[in-house]
Amino acid sequence: MFHALIMAGGGGTRFWPRSRVKKPKQFLALAGERTLLQQTVDRIESAIPLANTWIMTAATHTAECARQLPELLADHIIGEPMGRDTAPCIGVAAALMAREDPDAVMLVMPADHVIEPAQEFRRAALVAQQMASENPGALVTLGIPPTYPAVGFGYIQRGPEVVQRQGLPVFRVKSFREKPSLETAQEFLATGQYYWNSGIFIWRAATILAALKENQPSLYDGARRIADAWNGPRREATFLAEFPNLTKISIDYAVMEHAKEVLVVRAPYRWDDVGSWLALERMHPQDADRNTILAQHTGIQTKNCVIVGDAGQLITTIGVENLLIIQDGDAILVADRRDEATVKDLVAQMKARGLEKYL
């Protein structure tokens, strides 16, 4: 059967001050009335039963997950005692799925992407499921056709086309490339051979476990011990003892860059990883002065700004350009839009200065 793992453990620090420790960005409604986590579940609900959907999140966020997704099995919301990157998260989930369903095919996806239209995502996911079922040793990913030379994403270099299914081409993967310089990203786009690495994967649970056993044997062993104890009285004790010792490593480094049989399905949908405040410009319209305004705002000579605030709060501006102006609760961020990636460094500085109450 088809199963889903939603990875909801990120901190979302680039979205401070709206994204806080108690409620990071995956639990926020940044692109519509539903939160990013809720939209992720909505996107797959007609393709994967809720009984087959699992969420891995921070232990401090399991209650918020349950509140936002009351229809999910409580037993399928797993709280990590600490972040260990994506390979341990995927390894534990794969071991649990394989224990319930030895033939499980799993869809792995982050909880903080915006994908439209949803039916096109399901079309691509079902094609990838079919490829994983027909090619039991294959690891399948969804590649995003790049629209600009992004330096913040990894890239997938495609090889020869294998087949077309439901109008979507499937290629062998030639290589994975790290986040490039601007010049290299421009070269990637010029060749037409590269996709953005979306971090969305489809494979048989048994296949990814075999790959982890080969490349990360201690991680594999720990994940299996967790799964073996899951339905017994030592579930919590085993999980708390084993999970912190799993190697902290991404699935890309742990498996994907070493795998011999990797396929990529070209994504037919619009995709945004919602990495920073500037993502709002891609999801909301701008006014005549190129401002993206999600607040009660009055301004004079205000251009090319992103302005966000709480309901009931008024933000006023005079003679400013190219700024992020974000008001949320007890904190305000004002930054040059060119420095939007530095917000995470600001958060680290606040923590170092003992300002945790604002985080």
Side-chain angles (χ1 to χ4, degrees), residues 271-347:
W271 173 87
D272 200 303
D273 79 330
V274 199
S276 70
W277 283 111
L278 292 183
L280 297 186
E281 294 181 324
R282 300 189 290 270
M283 294 182 282
H284 299 278
Q286 284 77 54
D287 66 14
D289 292 312
R290 303 188 308 280
N291 298 303
T292 302
I293 300 175
L294 302 174
Q296 185 177 355
H297 169 259
T298 297
I300 297 172
Q301 295 178 341
T302 299
K303 298 179 180 179
N304 205 31
C305 294
V306 175
I307 301 172
V308 179
D310 289 340
Q313 300 290 327
L314 174 65
I315 299 176
T316 60
T317 54
I318 300 175
V320 297
E321 296 185 28
N322 302 315
L323 293 182
L324 302 176
I325 304 172
I326 315 296
Q327 178 275 323
D328 189 273
D330 56 2
I332 298 173
L333 169 69
V334 180
D336 188 308
R337 59 182 291 128
R338 293 171 297 186
D339 296 323
E340 49 91 20
T342 312
V343 174
K344 64 177 182 179
D345 300 325
L346 179 68
V347 169

Side-chain angles (χ1 to χ4, degrees), residues 59-265:
T60 52
H61 297 144
T62 54
E64 181 64 19
C65 280
R67 188 188 70 81
Q68 292 197 8
L69 300 168
E71 67 276 19
L72 225 62
L73 295 175
D75 194 44
H76 282 195
I77 299 175
I78 302 172
E80 301 173 344
M82 61 181 63
R84 304 304 290 163
D85 217 320
T86 55
C89 170
I90 290 169
V92 170
L96 291 172
M97 290 178 190
R99 185 177 176 83
E100 289 189 2
D101 176 8
D103 296 320
V105 175
M106 63 187 293
L107 165 63
V108 178
M109 53 189 170
D112 55 358
H113 292 176
V114 171
I115 293 174
E116 294 177 334
Q119 63 266 28
E120 288 295 271
F121 175 81
R122 290 191 291 271
R123 178 162 70 109
L126 290 171
V127 167
Q129 179 204 19
Q130 187 175 12
M131 298 308 300
S133 298
E134 293 176 2
N135 304 274
L139 305 175
V140 188
T141 185
L142 304 182
I144 311 298
T147 55
Y148 65 96
V151 298
F153 303 145
Y155 284 74
I156 300 169
Q157 183 182 16
R158 75 180 191 220
E161 183 173 324
V162 176
V163 71
Q164 286 210 13
R165 293 288 167 82
Q166 298 186 38
L168 298 180
V170 182
F171 302 89
R172 294 200 179 278
V173 170
K174 186 174 182 180
S175 68
F176 286 87
R177 303 294 294 268
E178 299 301 320
K179 296 175 182 178
S181 66
L182 178 59
E183 181 179 359
T184 301
Q186 290 169 337
E187 293 173 0
F188 286 173
L189 260 67
T191 68
Q193 297 178 5
Y194 288 84
Y195 295 132
W196 286 336
N197 186 349
S198 66
I200 300 173
F201 306 102
I202 303 90
W203 42 49
R204 294 176 69 247
T207 300
I208 193 62
L209 287 171
L212 286 169
K213 184 177 183 180
E214 179 180 355
N215 294 284
Q216 296 288 328
S218 64
L219 192 160
Y220 167 83
D221 289 341
R224 289 308 302 258
R225 285 192 290 269
I226 290 170
D228 289 343
W230 196 252
N231 291 329
R234 291 192 51 77
R235 172 199 290 194
E236 184 174 358
T238 303
F239 185 62
L240 292 177
E242 295 285 351
F243 193 85
N245 294 321
L246 300 183
T247 305
K248 186 176 183 180
I249 188 171
S250 73
I251 197 67
D252 296 273
Y253 285 130
V255 171
M256 300 304 290
E257 294 185 358
H258 313 290
K260 296 179 178 64
E261 189 176 358
V262 185
L263 304 176
V264 58
V265 179

